[in-house]
Amino acid sequence: MTDAALDATYLYSGNPDHIVTGYITYIRESQGLDASRVLLGSNASDSLSTFRINGSYSFQNTVTLSAQRFETSGTADTALYGGSPNSSGWTAEIAYVPTGHKESSWFPDGMNARLSLQYTAYDQFNGTSAHASDNNTLYLLLWLAAG
């Protein structure tokens, strides 16, 4: 089977205090599942498409705001996906990196950190929009590294 993908990136960093990025990705997968069909009862073949577009704005490499739209669609297959893989929604994130701007960083030298809050809101999940929001998620992440 053949898979195809397309992606593009945009970066504006003309002013070091203001960085803007944008990404777009599309992936189309085709799967031959002869062995899975015999073992699991899946379809003989499936297709899966993924689309994502996101952008972010970073101020002084310290505070970053990001947003993403995502959509996944494909062949319904109970054995592989438990039904339909069709899902879509939005993700928003705010991140703080205290070491991003060295001149004003209060963080200890040799340490890196990232604190972020991310929310994902689904408008479709596993092929249905009914109760899709029951799968919405909120992540709080603290990442520390010594270097």
Side-chain angles (χ1 to χ4, degrees), residues 10 18 24 32-33 64 67-68 94 116 144:
Y10 171 80
H18 306 281
I24 188 168
L33 302 167
T64 302
Q68 177 188 79
I94 183 167
S116 62
L144 297 171

Side-chain angles (χ1 to χ4, degrees), residues 1 9-10 18 24 52 54 57 63-64 69 71-72 76 83 93 99 103 105 110 112-113 118 124 131 141 146:
M1 297 289 174
T9 301
Y10 171 80
H18 306 281
I24 188 168
R52 290 189 192 113
N54 63 316
Y57 167 76
V63 176
T64 302
R69 173 69 181 171
E71 297 178 2
T72 301
E93 179 180 65
T99 57
E103 292 78 28
S105 177
N112 291 306
Q118 183 185 82
Q124 184 180 35
H131 304 289
L141 172 75

